[in-house]
Amino acid sequence: MTSEEIVSEIKRDYINRLAEVGRRIDGRAFNEYREIVVEKGVISTAEGSARVRIGGTEVVVGVKMDLGEPFPDTPNMGVLTTSAELGPLASPTFEAGPPDEKAIELARVTDRAIRESGAIDLQRLCIEEGNKVWVLFLDIYVLDYDGNMFDAAEYCALAALLNTTVPASRFDMGDDFKLEVERYPISMTFAKIENSIVVDPSLDEDNIADARLTVSIDEENRIRAMQKGLSGGFTVDEVKKIINTAMELAPKIRKKIVEA
Amino acid sequence: MGIKKEGIKLINEDGLRIDGRKPDELRPIKIEAGVLKRADGSAYIEWGKNKILVGVYGPRELHPRHLQDPTKAKVQCRYDMASFSVIDRKRPGPDRRSIEISKIIGEALENVIFTHQFPRTSIDIYIEVLEANAGTRCAGLTAASVALADAGIPMKDLIAAVSVGKVDGEIVLDLVKEEDNYGEADVPIGYVPRTGEVVLLQMDGDLSYEEFEKALNMGIEACKKIYEMQKDALKRKYVKVATEIVEEVE
């Protein structure tokens, strides 16, 4: 098994040459997103769940909740724990075993978008200050990897949270109640191919990209998280352009996730 | 088998079970072949409240190379339960139970795959349980057979699997979670209809010889029904593919 996708030189050249004339290998425009399909409440054993498809990429997120102790530095806040599993069924290049750096980056980038935007008010998950709080596990499972898993994971996490009921009665803590989602961060990932920048990279584009940038935008068009990946770089103008495109595209996707 | 709480009745006066089924009745089963894009073969099964996805990769070169068998393919199976597939969150990753289940499912599947046609390779079967409600190993094995066929891997036959158990002193087919927790026995069976062989068999609990015989017969009869559903799933997928090809040609 290899842990890197191999792209032939011919295909790499082809994608690069297409990009020079403003085209992409799957026929999309540079700022055109693939079709997104969102389903909520797909797992009945979870407190909340969702399945998101972006083109051929498919992700399932399940929320589980438990009672626990707060961290000593945040005694009045619940605990949010995000994990990601890149299971070997999702791609010939994913290997079984404990989360590798790719899975950890995915979990942390998703966690940051949710946490830093204040999507969940963790103070509301406090039951007894310093003693007892709700622990929310946000578990991401990538089932089919066809490019751009960062956005798929984040949309799926948001959709699952919107679907979450806190299982209070199971823990003798009163009646179950809906988890409040306060903010709706939308992540948008861009790849730089030679000198072109494309949104929602497909698998081939992900594989040959020189640089990657994920930007999370909330519903007031504020930037809530960013992550730059890969060895290439962006110019300042490119970064600004990316943020503007993300702000343009995010509302439509947010609507789709909220209304699903 | 768990300790039964007093007062829990799993079979009512009319002989029906807690979900209203008759003793020899299967839960509703829905199988779909070819659901994943990247995998060489795949299948999705909904069996009662179980939801399981299976992806197959291979035959592909086996790494590390010292594990290669110059005479045949190595069949490797990984059964995994998603953290949210059960009520109390399961820690992600393999535990002792899933390692054992992976082993016995892999061994059962090796029985029906023509492994000698693919020396030095591995055939990898990944079973992901997204939602669990008893009988996941049987549902996983049933779906894995369909996924292998979808990958075009030459096989003697499909394996159909089901569990049979004993609840309130009675032999019943296809246990749900409550029956599994509070019942008196559980016997998962994997069966190859074409050869009549049993390729997966486990048992825990307490059964007499007569009870075991009854359970086995009941399980095999059910496997024959499941076998038809497996073939139907494959036909649906490939009739669809064939129709698309004809349409393209026309």
Side-chain angles (χ1 to χ4, degrees):
Chain A
M1 241 183 278
T2 53
S3 56
E4 288 293 319
E5 302 257 358
I6 296 164
V7 183
S8 68
E9 284 301 319
I10 291 175
K11 198 174 213 177
R12 186 187 296 266
D13 283 351
Y14 179 55
I15 297 173
N16 285 338
R17 273 191 288 116
L18 278 178
E20 281 166 22
V21 293
R23 290 167 60 201
R24 294 170 77 174
I25 192 165
D26 54 9
R28 282 186 287 159
F30 282 178
N31 62 353
E32 186 179 345
Y33 224 90
R34 287 175 291 180
E35 197 200 351
I36 303 173
V37 181
V38 185
E39 272 175 88
K40 286 181 194 150
V42 291
I43 307 288
S44 66
T45 41
E47 271 65 89
S49 62
R51 180 199 294 249
V52 166
R53 255 169 259 160
I54 300 180
T57 292
E58 183 169 342
V59 173
V60 168
V61 170
V63 173
K64 289 300 295 175
M65 295 185 79
D66 202 349
L67 293 176
E69 278 178 28
F71 290 115
D73 54 341
T74 51
N76 62 341
M77 282 163 103
V79 176
L80 170 66
T81 305
T82 310
S83 84
E85 293 283 313
L86 304 183
L89 90 168
S91 161
T93 61
F94 292 173
E95 291 177 33
D100 60 4
E101 56 179 36
K102 265 195 280 186
I104 290 169
E105 187 186 20
L106 177 66
R108 288 184 57 85
V109 170
T110 308
D111 183 274
R112 208 173 302 148
I114 300 292
R115 188 186 300 272
E116 299 306 324
S117 66
I120 303 298
D121 181 358
L122 290 174
Q123 291 190 18
R124 290 201 196 197
L125 295 181
C126 175
I127 297 163
E128 199 187 308
E129 190 169 327
N131 219 346
K132 202 194 252 179
V133 298
W134 287 107
V135 182
L136 191 151
F137 294 96
L138 196 55
D139 293 326
I140 303 160
Y141 280 72
V142 178
L143 302 178
D144 214 352
Y145 172 53
D146 193 35
N148 193 14
M149 60 186 171
F150 285 91
D151 293 0
E154 200 267 334
Y155 302 163
C156 201
L158 181 60
L161 289 169
L162 284 164
N163 177 251
T164 297
T165 301
V166 181
S169 62
R170 201 165 76 226
F171 297 91
D172 291 323
M173 300 298 300
D175 290 337
D176 292 356
F177 58 94
K178 282 233 40 105
L179 182 76
E180 292 280 346
V181 177
E182 322 263 339
R183 289 263 179 250
Y184 305 95
I186 293 295
S187 290
M188 200 139 307
T189 296
F190 296 79
K192 185 168 174 181
I193 294 166
E194 297 265 284
N195 286 313
S196 307
I197 289 170
V198 298
V199 73
D200 177 30
S202 67
L203 183 65
D204 287 327
E205 292 168 338
D206 244 349
N207 288 337
I208 69 156
D210 305 310
R212 190 190 67 229
L213 184 63
T214 304
V215 185
S216 301
I217 308 281
D218 73 10
E219 67 276 20
E220 284 165 10
N221 259 352
R222 305 195 63 81
I223 307 162
R224 305 310 288 255
M226 284 176 123
Q227 178 87 346
K228 194 242 137 195
L230 306 178
S231 57
F234 292 97
T235 65
V236 174
D237 282 344
E238 283 170 340
V239 173
K240 287 182 187 163
K241 206 174 145 225
I242 283 173
I243 294 170
N244 282 321
T245 311
M247 286 178 174
E248 247 168 66
L249 296 177
K252 211 172 134 199
I253 294 174
R254 181 177 299 114
K255 191 161 176 269
K256 192 156 207 167
I257 293 165
V258 172
E259 288 173 5
Chain B
M1 298 283 99
I3 305 299
K4 189 175 167 181
K5 282 187 203 155
E6 281 310 311
I8 293 184
K9 273 193 78 126
L10 293 171
I11 296 187
N12 71 13
E13 303 76 32
D14 302 325
L16 296 179
R17 297 152 67 182
I18 52 163
D19 56 358
R21 282 183 295 152
K22 296 196 277 288
D24 63 346
E25 195 178 335
L26 282 166
R27 286 176 279 181
I29 299 175
K30 198 177 94 187
I31 310 173
E32 235 180 292
V35 292
L36 294 178
K37 181 168 176 173
R38 298 300 307 279
D40 298 317
S42 59
Y44 176 67
I45 191 166
E46 281 188 22
W47 179 319
K49 283 184 180 170
N50 290 310
K51 293 187 179 134
I52 300 169
L53 192 58
V54 182
V56 168
Y57 286 89
R60 59 183 174 183
E61 193 179 357
L62 175 58
H63 290 287
R65 293 181 75 168
H66 71 265
L67 294 176
Q68 290 182 355
D69 185 331
T71 65
K72 61 179 172 41
K74 197 163 188 265
V75 176
Q76 305 188 114
C77 176
R78 181 181 190 262
Y79 164 102
D80 183 62
M81 288 181 91
S83 58
F84 44 75
S85 64
V86 282
I87 292 294
D88 292 319
R89 179 176 183 269
K90 182 201 162 286
R91 257 190 76 190
D95 53 15
R96 295 172 66 87
R97 173 181 171 277
S98 61
I99 290 168
E100 184 210 343
I101 293 175
S102 302
K103 180 172 183 287
I104 58 160
I105 291 179
E107 286 164 350
L109 289 167
E110 194 177 344
N111 180 280
V112 294
I113 298 172
F114 288 108
T115 52
H116 292 281
Q117 292 188 10
F118 308 102
R120 297 183 194 281
T121 65
S122 71
I123 294 170
D124 300 301
I125 301 133
Y126 300 117
I127 301 175
E128 193 66 51
V129 179
L130 298 173
E131 188 173 333
N133 191 288
T136 54
R137 74 193 68 189
C138 293
L141 176 54
T142 298
S145 307
V146 175
L148 281 163
D150 180 51
I153 290 169
M155 294 156 81
K156 273 198 272 186
D157 201 1
L158 300 166
I159 303 174
V162 72
S163 90
V164 188
K166 184 174 154 190
V167 165
D168 286 353
E170 211 178 317
I171 299 300
V172 297
L173 183 70
D174 186 18
L175 305 181
V176 291
K177 197 172 74 186
E178 293 78 3
E179 294 173 328
D180 191 26
N181 288 350
Y182 303 121
E184 294 111 66
D186 180 19
V187 189
I189 299 164
Y191 180 69
V192 182
R194 186 164 289 169
T195 62
E197 284 172 296
V198 173
V199 289
L200 181 140
L201 183 64
Q202 293 181 294
M203 187 260 168
D204 60 30
D206 177 4
L207 290 177
S208 70
Y209 176 80
E210 286 73 22
E211 284 172 332
F212 174 74
E213 198 176 21
K214 189 178 173 192
L216 193 59
N217 286 334
M218 192 185 266
I220 287 172
E221 283 313 306
C223 283
K224 289 176 185 166
K225 288 182 199 157
I226 295 160
Y227 183 55
E228 294 305 318
M229 298 180 213
Q230 290 173 300
K231 286 192 291 186
D232 183 57
L234 288 164
K235 279 183 199 158
R236 267 185 282 125
K237 156 97 193 277
Y238 286 99
V239 166
K240 201 175 137 214
V241 171
T243 320
E244 279 166 13
I245 292 170
V246 170
E247 277 167 5
E248 258 173 51
V249 171
E250 278 172 359

